[in-house]
Amino acid sequence: MDKLNREQQIAVDTLDGPVLIIAGAGSGKTKVITHRMLNLIKHGTNPHNILAITFTNKAAREMRDRVNTLIASDKSLNRPISSSERPFVSTFHALGVHIIRSHAHDLGLKKHFSILDRSDSKRIVKSAMEKLGIDPKKFDPGFILNKISTLKGDGVTLDNFSSSISDQKKDFINSVTAQIWQEYEISMKREGSLDFDDLLAKSAGLLESNEDIRRHYGNTWKYIHIDEYQDTNRIQYKIAKLLISGQELNGQKTRNICAVGDADQNIYSWRGATIENILNFEKDYPEAKVVTLERNYRSTKIILSAANDVIKKNSLRKEKNLFTDNVDGEKISLLISYSENDEARAIADTARELIDAGTKPSEIAVLYRANFQSRAIEESFIKKNLPYQLLGTKFFERKEVKDVISYIRASFNRESWGDIARIINTPPRGIGKVTLAKLASGHHDFPSAMQVKIDSFWKLLDDVKKEIWKSKPSNVIRFIIKETGMENRMQNTDGDNEDRLLNVRELVSVASQYDDIVDEDSTPTEEGDMPYPIRTFLENVALSGDQDEMNESKDAVRLMTVHASKGLEFDAVIVAGLEQELFPFKHIDEENMSLSEREEERRLFYVAITRAKKKLCLSYAIIRNVYGREKISEPSEFIADIDPALIDDTPRETVSGAKAIFIDF
């Protein structure tokens, strides 16, 4: 406790009842949550009665490792705690998987149900549209999928949605969406799969409809912590309320919830997050203790002053002012370039200067508002031979990686026609779409030559399943890429196949992390289920996010969107494209931004600059090519929000060959 400041100690010491911790950027919230869990254990709470939920796999791993280290190293604990007796730390979606898997029978699912990624879901939506005779050119499958996803995130069921459509002619889009949604659900049920949104919707449904299940988890998790509470959507908020409603002690209801977050870092409204959840916490829990963490341990005084200048312009927030005992630090730099290509060169040159001055490449991040900005920046890094890693192209969404995963899933689920369609001709076997359609419809009478091919494919899946039962996950992946012929084909063809082979071999390395894990529940594997290590591997693959793509061992500059940078920190941060209508971002089809949209953009900029520990550089271009046309841009209003005294106005020499003005503020 002597390592905590006064406010952190109050948060750690307040154990019973609802607690709201307003945690500013870099204020040590993970430290507070983990020490609070340790303190609960020291006061007699069983570790397995503690739940902590956060938003990214990376954050969950870090929190889990830190609390385990605290427990293992604390000599004052009066009893030994086994490795299986630990707080349950996970993301909301991983929690959903845990609840659904534990009660799969109630939902008519097998324990090893498949989790669809976005491309799988989009494929099924498109197939549903074709079956219904709805032209995908008139109704974009991605748009329909987003609409379904938003409705699920808001806690709306298909039945609720369908019954709300009063006039199908007037409400044509919703009527079409309802038809596609129904067919989408039928297809998922047939394949024994759930989409990402179902992991929350189905678990919330179980908790709401079954009092025994609700009380079971209320009695299991007597103390609940929710990190990044400002980023919860309606269904996540509902899950939290349902879990809390099941808590009891000696026949009396308890409300032991610790919500940790910062309204100033609410940046995910586009995926359903609602800032009202954190702003209304004290209305939901009038007896709540509120603790505000304002001392920042990450950034210099100048960077924090800029952050405070920016965010104080917002009205939807809880008042706070970050401060630090760190040094004043360098003033903020500004790069003003002629075009986006000149800006990219200037950013690459700035990164080179930082590296030459002693900053590790992995301690430098280039952040941008939209993914399309990465193209010019990546090209400049390549030309200048700078080490970089681009986040956003997910490893587990690469075709060859998904092929291997589909072999595993199909070997246990012969009804997973999406997986079967993906791999039945990977590598080519001469089994066409017509034959596949007949197989899916239950047809068994094929010409002998075709039947041989089909039987060979089913036998291969049987062999994969046998290998899964007798081998570790890494050996299973080796078996698949060799026995299916994938490896041989990639080795003996030209083009991009060398990269694809490297990717599937990298998957072996990823799978090896699961080789020695054991079932924490120590429950026997049911008939028809799959071994715990491979099951856990598949779950984590399905739940992976942008930050999981970051190779911690690779010493390279990180290129990513501001959204992807949430929760990370770097010695030096370069924020690119600070121009009106790009950052703050204005959608093409809207005339004016609403107040809530403008405030969220400002929060996003606040998140960007508070990722920096020592050095912050802001950049914009005077002319940018937008949809094939050059457009003159105004500097972002956010730059003007910062006190000019925080910016270094020393001019510096223009880089040769670039149409750019460089002014270091």
Side-chain angles (χ1 to χ4, degrees):
M1 293 291 284
D2 58 357
K3 295 179 181 178
L4 305 174
N5 65 40
R6 180 177 176 276
E7 289 73 24
Q8 289 175 331
Q9 287 184 14
I10 292 171
V12 168
D13 269 336
T14 308
L15 301 180
D16 295 317
V19 181
L20 175 62
I21 302 174
I22 305 297
S27 61
K29 67 181 177 66
T30 303
K31 184 177 185 178
V32 168
I33 296 171
T34 53
H35 277 77
R36 191 175 189 274
M37 287 192 275
L38 176 66
N39 202 26
L40 282 165
I41 295 168
K42 293 173 80 166
H43 279 77
T45 302
N46 285 323
H48 67 264
N49 290 142
I50 301 170
L51 171 67
I53 313 171
T54 188
F55 270 79
T56 68
N57 293 332
K58 185 177 185 299
R61 283 193 301 270
E62 180 185 351
M63 190 180 293
R64 192 181 300 116
D65 290 345
R66 286 172 70 169
V67 74
N68 288 348
T69 299
L70 284 175
I71 292 171
S73 60
D74 195 293
K75 306 299 181 186
S76 66
L77 291 174
N78 58 12
R79 64 185 181 86
I81 296 175
S82 68
S83 60
S84 63
E85 200 175 5
R86 290 285 189 267
F88 192 104
V89 182
S90 80
T91 63
F92 263 107
H93 288 90
L95 175 66
V97 171
H98 174 81
I99 292 173
I100 292 168
R101 194 176 298 287
S102 299
H103 305 279
H105 180 73
D106 296 288
L107 294 170
L109 290 167
K110 296 178 180 178
K111 273 196 170 185
H112 58 267
F113 59 86
S114 298
I115 303 171
L116 304 176
D117 63 19
R118 180 171 174 80
S119 63
D120 290 327
S121 294
K122 193 172 179 180
R123 168 186 56 79
I124 295 177
V125 165
K126 189 175 180 180
S127 176
M129 293 172 72
E130 291 170 352
K131 186 173 181 179
L132 293 166
I134 298 170
D135 189 352
K137 293 180 180 178
K138 291 184 179 179
F139 297 93
D140 176 37
F143 170 81
I144 298 294
L145 179 60
N146 285 342
K147 191 171 179 64
I148 294 170
S149 177
T150 300
L151 289 164
K152 286 185 177 182
D154 287 341
V156 178
T157 65
L158 173 58
D159 288 342
N160 295 150
F161 181 64
S162 297
S163 62
S164 70
I165 304 170
S166 56
D167 189 327
Q168 292 190 2
K169 290 183 179 179
K170 290 182 180 179
D171 206 355
F172 185 64
I173 293 293
N174 283 341
S175 176
V176 169
T177 300
Q179 294 175 58
I180 296 169
W181 188 355
Q182 183 172 26
E183 192 61 40
Y184 176 62
E185 294 293 332
I186 291 170
S187 296
M188 283 197 294
K189 186 173 183 180
R190 183 171 61 247
E191 292 191 7
S193 59
L194 299 178
D195 66 20
F196 216 56
D197 300 297
D198 286 331
L199 302 181
L200 302 180
K202 297 290 187 187
S203 52
L206 280 169
L207 291 168
E208 185 173 34
S209 63
N210 192 310
E211 185 179 354
D212 290 339
I213 292 176
R214 188 165 63 250
R215 291 180 66 180
H216 165 74
Y217 287 111
N219 289 324
T220 299
W221 296 315
K222 300 180 185 300
Y223 291 88
I224 296 174
H225 304 75
I226 302 179
D227 190 16
E228 306 287 10
Y229 195 74
Q230 78 281 350
D231 289 330
T232 52
N233 62 17
R234 287 182 175 84
I235 200 74
Q236 290 161 338
Y237 170 83
K238 185 177 183 178
I239 289 170
K241 292 280 285 186
L242 288 166
L243 289 172
I244 294 299
S245 71
Q247 290 181 341
E248 285 186 7
L249 180 64
N250 299 325
Q252 299 294 316
K253 292 286 185 181
T254 59
R255 307 218 293 178
N256 295 324
I257 178 174
C258 176
V260 186
D262 179 10
D264 291 338
Q265 296 185 69
N266 168 261
I267 60 173
Y268 293 114
S269 68
W270 49 275
R271 68 182 188 197
T274 171
I275 196 170
E276 285 80 11
N277 289 349
I278 192 167
L279 295 178
N280 293 335
F281 187 86
E282 292 161 86
K283 291 181 182 177
D284 291 336
Y285 305 95
E287 73 275 31
K289 172 79 174 178
V290 181
V291 184
T292 304
L293 306 181
E294 296 175 293
R295 184 188 298 271
N296 176 284
Y297 293 92
R298 176 186 299 157
S299 305
T300 63
K301 287 177 180 173
I302 283 178
I303 292 171
L304 279 193
S305 294
N308 287 329
D309 285 347
V310 168
I311 204 62
K312 69 183 180 184
K313 296 284 186 74
N314 275 10
S315 57
L316 288 171
R317 64 189 298 257
K318 288 182 175 288
E319 187 62 37
K320 70 176 185 309
N321 196 63
L322 296 181
F323 68 92
T324 186
D325 293 331
N326 293 341
V327 299
D328 288 345
E330 294 183 45
K331 286 190 174 183
I332 298 166
S333 298
L334 184 70
L335 300 177
I336 309 173
S337 304
Y338 176 74
S339 69
E340 71 263 31
N341 290 326
D342 295 323
E343 180 192 42
R345 284 193 288 269
I347 288 170
D349 287 337
T350 301
R352 171 61 70 193
E353 290 173 9
L354 288 165
I355 293 168
D356 291 345
T359 304
K360 290 181 62 179
S362 58
E363 282 294 338
I364 303 170
V366 181
L367 308 181
Y368 35 83
R369 176 62 181 84
N371 273 310
F372 75 83
Q373 294 172 257
S374 67
R375 181 199 57 79
I377 297 170
E378 186 178 12
E379 286 179 1
S380 284
F381 271 67
I382 292 170
K383 287 176 182 176
K384 293 182 182 293
N385 198 29
L386 283 166
Y388 74 93
Q389 184 185 14
L390 177 67
L391 273 70
T393 304
K394 293 185 179 180
F395 175 76
F396 295 114
E397 289 185 2
R398 290 178 170 92
K399 179 187 181 303
E400 59 276 11
V401 173
K402 291 190 69 172
D403 290 344
V404 175
I405 299 301
S406 285
Y407 269 106
I408 298 174
R409 299 200 312 195
S411 71
F412 274 85
N413 183 3
R414 297 292 179 88
E415 299 300 317
S416 183
W417 291 104
D419 288 313
I420 290 170
R422 167 178 285 277
I423 59 176
I424 200 164
N425 277 307
T426 305
R429 295 186 178 86
I431 303 174
K433 290 183 179 180
V434 174
T435 302
L436 179 61
K438 288 181 178 179
L439 277 172
S441 63
H443 187 81
H444 299 290
D445 186 18
F446 295 99
S448 58
M450 180 58 69
Q451 191 64 53
V452 169
K453 295 176 183 178
I454 293 169
D455 290 344
S456 176
F457 175 69
W458 292 138
K459 182 181 183 304
L460 178 59
L461 291 185
D462 287 338
D463 291 343
V464 170
K465 187 173 183 178
K466 289 174 185 175
E467 188 68 22
I468 288 170
W469 275 111
K470 71 180 185 182
S471 297
K472 294 182 176 183
S474 61
N475 287 333
V476 171
I477 306 302
R478 289 190 184 95
F479 179 88
I480 290 171
I481 62 177
K482 183 177 178 62
E483 296 301 319
T484 62
M486 292 172 67
E487 184 176 50
N488 183 62
R489 183 172 175 80
M490 290 175 185
Q491 284 175 332
N492 293 292
T493 52
D494 299 325
D496 297 328
N497 281 299
E498 183 178 358
D499 286 340
R500 294 190 180 106
L501 182 58
L502 290 173
N503 286 334
V504 294
R505 286 177 173 171
E506 175 63 20
L507 189 60
V508 175
S509 300
V510 174
S512 68
Q513 301 170 32
Y514 301 84
D515 283 351
D516 299 317
I517 66 168
V518 295
D519 192 339
E520 296 170 356
D521 297 328
S522 299
T523 53
T525 303
E526 296 180 4
E527 184 179 355
D529 196 7
M530 61 175 61
Y532 182 77
I534 201 78
R535 190 182 81 200
T536 307
F537 165 68
L538 289 182
E539 285 176 7
N540 289 342
V541 166
L543 300 177
S544 66
D546 284 341
Q547 291 184 8
D548 296 301
E549 304 299 309
M550 193 161 65
N551 186 343
E552 302 281 0
S553 63
K554 185 177 181 181
D555 193 17
V557 179
R558 315 302 189 190
L559 313 182
M560 68 185 88
T561 64
V562 182
H563 284 101
S565 75
K566 179 77 177 296
L568 304 178
E569 61 182 26
F570 304 90
D571 283 348
V573 169
I574 304 168
V575 186
L578 280 164
E579 300 137 32
Q580 285 298 106
E581 299 189 7
L582 178 54
F583 201 178
F585 185 81
K586 177 177 172 289
H587 293 282
I588 296 171
D589 56 353
E590 65 182 7
E591 272 192 40
N592 298 301
M593 294 175 67
S594 66
L595 175 64
S596 62
E597 288 173 329
R598 193 171 294 279
E599 292 208 350
E600 179 156 346
E601 288 294 306
R602 185 173 280 108
R603 291 194 294 269
L604 189 60
F605 181 55
Y606 174 80
V607 166
I609 61 182
T610 54
R611 299 311 93 198
K613 293 191 279 188
K614 300 174 183 177
K615 176 70 177 176
L616 176 63
C617 181
L618 309 178
S619 173
Y620 71 88
I622 297 169
I623 291 177
R624 187 173 295 274
N625 194 302
V626 180
Y627 291 102
R629 295 183 179 180
E630 287 193 340
K631 177 185 175 187
I632 297 175
S633 301
E634 295 179 32
S636 171
E637 64 191 74
F638 300 151
I639 297 174
D641 289 341
I642 299 172
D643 183 348
L646 302 175
I647 303 178
D648 186 352
D649 60 0
T650 305
R652 106 180 177 182
E653 186 178 344
T654 302
V655 177
S656 175
K659 299 176 183 176
I661 304 166
F662 296 95
I663 301 175
D664 275 321
F665 281 166

